[in-house]
Amino acid sequence: MSQARGKFISLEGGEGAGKSTLLAGLRDYIGQRGIALVQAREPGGTALGEAVREIVLDPAQRGLAAETELLLMFASRAQLVREVIEPALRRGQWVLCDRFVDASYAYQGGGRGQPTQRIAALEDWACAGIKPDLTLLLDLPVATGRARAAGRGDADRIEVEADSFFERVRQTYRARARAEPQRYRVIDAGQPAAAVLSAAVDAITVLAGDRTA
Ligand code: Z5A
């Protein structure tokens, strides 16, 4: 009998929205259900991707062109899809990814003004038909997220952008969620972490086929 394909879940949101916090809770929840899980992040998740991450987040790379940034995000993604995500899904494992292609639409599209059609063409090429089954969007006002992240020390190359950049990022995520309500679950990330986890678990329960709504 052929192995059932695994499920692919991505986590998205602005800076300080609580993705890392939620990831830890979800990893425990999915593990307790006996589901084999692979965790990844973008940019990163492979040796090449982690090297790309170093470059794109390095504040010294001040002159990085928006086009270069976009291509680097997709270079990391193309490798992650082929080396980690697709093989895991084929083995029947679930994949939990801290950001995926929606981040490029939000940051490079909404934030940097790269054309949507260009990003869609790159998605078509780099993602090889792989799309999340569920995208959890942690939605939070920009100021709240930035205040949460502020205590963390030196800002990376993207974190130094203006509030207006992050507002465009947020609005692009929200527009994408409205356009694809069957894939997205928007979670109010201003709630206590336990309530955020509970909303995410709810969405995953539906995805696992335990409940229909
Ligand atoms: N990027 C891109 O431009 N294009 C792309 O295609 C991709 C990425 C894939 C790296 O992402 C950067 O790459 C990112 C987008 C860009 N740049 N920015 N800005 P990242 O995901 O690694 O980094 P991040 O977005 O900066 O995430 P983060 O700031 O690390 O935040 P987080 O993981 O969402 O939050 P957290 O660490 O879980 O929580 C932050 C703090 O808030 C922490 O003290 C928590 O204890 C606290 N927290 C968490 N949840 C709560 C709740 N519910 N209430 C109160 N406090 C909370």
Side-chain angles (χ1 to χ4, degrees), residues 13-22 41-43 53 57 69 73 77 98-101 103-104 107-108 148-149 152 156 158-159 166 189-193 196:
E15 191 191 357
K19 291 178 289 88
S20 309
T21 306
L22 176 61
R41 69 171 179 179
E42 282 205 336
R53 183 182 181 93
L57 298 184
E69 184 182 82
M73 295 298 177
R77 184 165 298 131
D98 189 345
R99 299 194 184 281
F100 193 62
V101 73
S104 291
Y107 284 81
Q108 283 65 53
R148 281 186 190 172
R152 246 183 348 199
D156 66 39
I158 297 176
E159 286 169 346
F166 290 105
Q191 308 174 86
V196 172

